[in-house]
Amino acid sequence: MIRTATPPLQHPLSHIADNSRLRLFSGSANVALSQEVARYLGMDLGPMVRKRFADGEIYVQIQESIRGCDVYLMQPSCYPVNDHLMELLIMVDACRRASARQITAVIPYYGYARADRKTAGRESITAKLVANLITEAGASRVLAMDLHSAQIQGYFDIPFDHVYGLPVILDYLLSKNLDDLVVVSPDVGGVARARAFAKKLNDAPLAIIDKRRQAHNVAEVLNVIGDVEGKTAILVDDMIDTAGTICEGARLLRDSGARQIYACATHAVFSPPAVERLAAGIFEEVIVTNTIPVPEEKQFAQLTVLSVANLLGEAIWRIHEDSSVSSMFR
């Protein structure tokens, strides 16, 4: 049974501030989240036609005037990634041709982010390729959440706002009053993320899982660096894809004496066989956010889905009002 966070509240100033030039549109990837963000901002989603031709081509038409408006297009590039990415590009192009003043691509989950550098010869850097596509389509700015690596911001030659979903998870964990905590990074690459999380979780100690990846979506876990015996371990990552890494890490933590194990990630990609692995009883709870929709067939008893609508809505409001976004996380 899935558990979700409380529905978002309306922005405290949305009923008096001038939002006549603010427009919010949603792609098909996560309409529910877009509706929550719109409710927080005290507005409705803009009317738009989305359909496909017989050969699968995507058609988009904005059905109201957006001339001179600040337009925000919400679309995570989740499964099916190529379709949702192409839909976003077409939405951006449609808004550019409709004379929008500024077009912000709001991408709660940025797909193709794992190939962010060349690790072998003759590879594509798809994170940079997608950045080029979004920019060339006509986006003026990008708002994204919990990138796989922060360096992706530098792939854009337009303003980029990077917000974090882990504070939502942090607040939820603090409300549970767990004791004797240790925050665990599932690999060396996630140490900075785990360290920042541990500091805000009452300065909890940190442990690291030493991992050697043999191939894409295949990982061999070797050992735990740090003390986890008798503790409640909080495994923190940006995404859960096939869940191989996080589940192998959890088993190693059990073998090392961890008393309880919680898995936390912003993006619930949940590619097969993730659900079977996560529902196998290794974790007390698997905590994710709704940046990616979790359909009924991917839900299981230990799953908790928290809403990031308030956070994204506040970021959109601050961008529109030309105020600080980074101060939300201080």
Side-chain angles (χ1 to χ4, degrees), residues 165-186:
L166 286 178
V168 175
I169 299 174
L170 175 69
D171 289 343
Y172 176 76
L173 286 173
L174 288 171
S175 72
K176 295 176 72 69
N177 295 315
L178 301 172
D179 58 359
D180 212 7
L181 298 178
V182 57
V183 175
V184 183
S185 173

Side-chain angles (χ1 to χ4, degrees), residues 75-78 107-111 114 145 239 267 269 291-292:
Q75 177 85 327
S77 47
C78 52
I107 311 174
Y109 169 66
Y110 186 92
R114 281 170 283 193
M145 177 171 284
M239 72 169 75
H267 308 300
V269 180
T291 57
I292 297 174

Side-chain angles (χ1 to χ4, degrees), residues 309-324:
N310 287 14
L311 197 152
L312 286 172
E314 183 64 26
I316 288 172
W317 186 263
R318 289 179 181 225
I319 292 169
H320 182 63
E321 292 292 298
D322 293 324
S323 60
S324 172

Side-chain angles (χ1 to χ4, degrees), residues 264-294:
C264 301
T266 303
H267 308 300
V269 180
F270 288 0
S271 302
V275 173
E276 290 79 5
R277 288 171 169 171
L278 295 170
I282 308 171
F283 300 102
E284 270 64 38
E285 197 170 356
V286 177
I287 306 165
V288 297
T289 75
N290 62 344
T291 57
I292 297 174
V294 182

Side-chain angles (χ1 to χ4, degrees), residues 124-142:
S124 171
I125 304 177
T126 54
K128 171 59 175 171
L129 172 62
V130 170
N132 289 344
L133 291 170
I134 293 170
T135 303
E136 289 301 314
S140 314
R141 175 185 294 269
V142 171

